[in-house]
Amino acid sequence: MTQVEPRTDAAAAQVYKMRDLSLRTSEVIREINESGRPALITLRGRFVAMITPLANSAVEGRLISAALEAGTLEVPAEGE
């Protein structure tokens, strides 16, 4: 698992309330990916999670490659 440097990411992070995430999930995720900045999620005024954007990063490709090599990802047959 990759370690996140909290000070670096948190300094540039946007803050969303859990209620915002619950009511506007796709909009919040889109905002996070478009900004390229992580988001901190609060619940009753306390930080509970951080969402890190993956759009325009090589992370997705590396994760898929690793899963294929480990045999933990099934690739659908053509036509499925």
Side-chain angles (χ1 to χ4, degrees):
M1 183 178 284
T2 304
Q3 291 284 345
V4 175
E5 178 73 35
R7 287 178 288 160
T8 303
D9 290 340
Q14 302 171 79
V15 178
Y16 291 93
K17 295 177 183 177
M18 182 68 80
R19 182 167 177 81
D20 294 332
L21 185 60
S22 176
L23 295 174
R24 309 181 301 120
T25 305
S26 60
E27 183 181 340
V28 168
I29 297 297
R30 186 175 45 257
E31 288 174 8
I32 294 167
N33 275 318
E34 287 175 358
S35 75
R37 295 173 25 207
L40 295 170
I41 309 302
T42 62
L43 178 63
R44 297 185 189 111
R46 299 185 69 189
F47 294 110
V48 295
M50 180 186 291
I51 300 174
T52 303
L54 297 179
N56 302 318
S57 74
V59 171
E60 185 177 13
R62 290 196 309 259
L63 290 173
I64 291 171
S65 294
L68 287 170
E69 288 176 14
T72 58
L73 178 68
E74 292 183 25
V75 178
E78 284 189 42
E80 283 188 23

